[in-house]
Amino acid sequence: MDVLNSRRTRACISLTAYRRNLLYFSEQGAPSLIAPVIKADGYGHGAIPLAKVAADLGCPYLCVGFLEEALQLRYAGVTLPILVFNYFAPETTPLFIQENLTATVYSGYQLEAIAPYIAGGKLRAHLKVDTGMSRLGVKPEEVERLIRRVWEIGNIELEGLYSHFATADDPDSDFARRQYEQFAALRRLYRSSIRYFHISNSAGAQYLSVDPFDFIRLGISSYGLDARNQKRPSELSPVLSWETILSHVKTIREGASISYGRTFIADRPMTIGTVAVGYADGYNRLLSNRGSVLVKGRRCPILGRVCMDQFMIDLSGIPAPEPGEKVTLLGFDGAEEISCEEIAALLSTINYEVTCLISKRVPRVYTEV
Ligand SMILES: *Cc1c(COP(=O)(O)O)cnc(C)c1O
């Protein structure tokens, strides 16, 4: 143990698997390059170590959601170009210039608001065009006016034009194709004056056969998770696993109740275990009486409500369980796996949210296996 980890709980992040996924998409997407998306602290995996892997592999760009995430990378010594996707308060514009970060320009209103803060510097920016997400971005018909205005303002280096798919996870999606066609038309108009064009996310890379142009903004698939929230395709390597230990093992009698609210009553004498993780670790309370974990390679159902720091499991059928035994919350133990998709299904959400919500109380441990 190189850092104090008294309760033996850790999210293990395989940098080898992460590298393998980036390389797989680099080969598959060539000549387009991979711009890893490591917003939300690398979807919960920890952005800084991933950024270093991406830099070593020669990725051209990193992408994050907010300015603070980009600054965290800069302060950790990451020198790659970094695109910030989202809103920033106009008065924070000088930080982009000072730290050589790339801003997203997504409306005329925003452009006028930030312009006075560029002052003597030069702001590097990518223009976002809304081809169908109705989130951030100027309408295709407004692009020309916006670009003119950028050139008029003068101290903005308009380096990129990008858009974002709404339905790239559906290979039959006419909508994605229409988005793509609109973007491709803009590219034909501006390719001599703008350097980079990018539209594809993970779903586009996995499921749409279109030219992603210069970069693929690769998020979820780089973590070895399927962009359609389906079973992991064999070409992806899972990056994150999450384990802890049994803090306590005991037998309970028939009729005993487990945890708050007594939502589980034993109908027979049982061996149960207490697990040293709870909802404050991002182990969702909605998994109460529904989820399972792995002990000695076997599935053990959760009994009763998940508490803030711990929950209880059924150890029936586990040979000689003892305190200190490894408990796998996510990932493999032998041939059995608890996948993010399994947890996501129980929570009516998608795999993305499962790793993003693992809280900062869980130490991340980086491995090369
Ligand atoms: C999050 C995000 C991505 C990455 O999406 P994935 O589905 O995880 O690949 C790409 N582009 C933008 C603009 C995003 O916000």
Side-chain angles (χ1 to χ4, degrees), residues 117-237:
Y117 293 96
I118 304 173
K122 186 128 190 163
L123 177 68
R124 202 194 296 180
H126 287 204
L127 180 63
K128 179 89 180 272
V129 50
D130 176 13
T131 56
M133 264 297 273
S134 305
R135 196 167 63 176
L136 295 181
V138 300
K139 297 194 180 76
E141 61 271 23
E142 295 167 349
V143 167
E144 188 187 337
R145 193 180 58 80
L146 248 287
I147 291 182
R148 286 237 177 93
R149 184 67 189 121
V150 164
W151 287 340
E152 234 170 62
I153 292 169
N155 44 11
I156 298 176
E157 180 197 346
L158 189 59
E159 185 196 49
L161 184 74
Y162 76 105
S163 194
H164 192 56
F165 284 127
T167 58
D169 53 340
D170 172 6
D172 301 323
S173 174
D174 287 339
F175 193 80
R177 270 167 218 288
R178 283 204 299 279
Q179 285 194 275
Y180 182 78
E181 290 310 327
Q182 288 192 67
F183 187 71
L186 289 169
R187 178 171 175 268
R188 285 192 290 276
L189 281 177
Y190 295 107
R191 61 184 303 186
S192 58
S193 45
I194 296 178
R195 183 168 175 204
Y196 295 129
F197 294 81
H198 46 106
I199 184 166
S200 227
N201 50 1
S202 295
Q206 274 188 269
Y207 295 110
L208 272 193
S209 48
V210 294
D211 179 354
F213 305 126
D214 297 295
F215 310 148
I216 299 167
R217 301 187 308 268
L218 195 72
I220 195 74
S221 315
S222 68
Y223 304 104
L225 299 172
D226 176 62
R228 280 153 114 178
N229 190 38
Q230 302 292 314
K231 189 174 175 305
R232 183 179 50 251
S234 58
E235 60 274 17
L236 300 187
S237 308

Side-chain angles (χ1 to χ4, degrees), residues 261-281:
R262 309 187 65 214
T263 58
F264 182 88
I265 311 278
D267 61 2
R268 59 192 157 87
M270 297 178 84
T271 303
I272 68 166
T274 304
V275 176
V277 158
Y279 61 76
D281 297 299

Side-chain angles (χ1 to χ4, degrees), residues 307-319:
C307 311
M308 188 182 286
D309 297 335
Q310 43 198 336
F311 62 90
M312 277 62 79
I313 58 171
D314 184 359
L315 292 172
S316 311
I318 306 298

